[in-house]
Amino acid sequence: MRHRITHGSGAKGPDELRQQIEQTRSQLGETVAQLVGKADVKGRARARAADLRDKAGAMTVQLRESATHAGHAVQGTAARTGHAMQHRAARTGHVVQDRASRTGHVMQDRAAHAGHAVQDRAGRAGHAAQHRAGRAGHTLEGAVPQPLRGTVRRGLRHPGPILAVGVLGAAAVTAGIVWSRRRRGH
C-alpha cells in the first residue's frame, strides 16, 4: 500500500498537525510491517507449508470417506447379488426335486403295471401248465410204475403247489423289475 503524503498543505493548527503526524506514523507502520512480512521468507514458507498440510489433511479425510462409501456400496451390491443367486438356486433345486419326484412316480406306476402284466401272464401260463399237466398226468398215471401212481394221483387232485410255484415265480420277476427300475432312476 502506498500512501501519498502531500507536502505543501499546511496544517491549520497544532491539533491538525498532530493528527497528520499520527496518520503518517500509522501509514509508515503498515508499510514497515508489509516489508518485514515480505522479507521473512522462512515465516512465509512455514505458513505455506501449514496451509498445504491442512489442505492435504482435508483431502485425506475426503478420500477416506469416499473409499468407505464405495466399500459399503460394493458390499451392499455383493450381498444383494448373493441373496438373488441363493434364491435362484433354491428355486431351481425345488423344480428339479419336483420333476424327479414326478418321474419317480411315473416309473413306479409303469413298473407296477409291468409287474401286474407279468404276474397275469405267469398265472395264465401256470393254469395252462396245470391243465397240460392234468392231461399229461392221466396219460402219465398209466405210464408210471404202480408204486408211484398214488403220488401222481395226489398231485393231480391237489394242483395248488404247482400253481403256488408259478405265482411265486411271477411275484419274484415283478419285484426284480421294480427294484431294477428304481435303482436306475436314482
Side-chain angles (χ1 to χ4, degrees):
M1 270 183 158
R2 290 190 177 193
H3 298 285
R4 280 195 162 164
I5 301 175
T6 54
H7 299 288
S9 63
K12 297 188 179 169
D15 289 331
E16 193 176 328
L17 183 61
R18 279 190 209 119
Q19 191 178 12
Q20 286 177 355
I21 291 172
E22 190 59 40
Q23 188 178 9
T24 303
R25 279 186 186 156
S26 176
Q27 289 173 354
L28 282 173
E30 287 177 16
T31 303
V32 169
Q34 287 175 356
L35 289 174
V36 167
K38 286 183 180 180
D40 185 16
V41 175
K42 276 188 178 179
R44 285 193 337 209
R46 278 191 217 123
R48 180 76 175 140
D51 186 42
L52 289 175
R53 271 194 305 268
D54 289 344
K55 286 181 182 177
M59 288 187 85
T60 301
V61 169
Q62 283 180 338
L63 288 174
R64 282 184 187 155
E65 287 177 2
S66 295
T68 301
H69 289 305
H72 288 306
V74 168
Q75 186 178 15
T77 301
R80 283 190 302 277
T81 302
H83 288 303
M85 294 305 291
Q86 187 178 18
H87 181 69
R88 286 182 188 144
R91 267 194 333 213
T92 302
H94 290 305
V95 167
V96 168
Q97 185 178 15
D98 184 50
R99 286 182 185 165
S101 176
R102 279 187 276 161
T103 302
H105 289 302
V106 167
M107 294 306 292
Q108 194 174 21
D109 288 344
R110 287 180 185 170
H113 288 299
H116 290 304
V118 168
Q119 192 175 19
D120 186 46
R121 286 182 196 144
R124 279 184 288 185
H127 286 303
Q130 186 179 15
H131 180 68
R132 280 189 217 118
R135 281 188 308 176
H138 289 295
T139 307
L140 182 67
E141 188 177 336
V144 173
Q146 182 62 36
L148 296 176
R149 283 186 187 170
T151 307
V152 169
R153 267 190 235 122
R154 278 191 296 272
L156 291 175
R157 272 185 264 148
H158 302 290
I162 293 173
L163 183 60
V165 167
V167 169
L168 287 175
V173 168
T174 302
I177 290 170
V178 169
W179 179 79
S180 174
R181 287 188 178 176
R182 282 188 181 169
R183 189 167 168 215
R184 274 187 263 143
H186 294 284

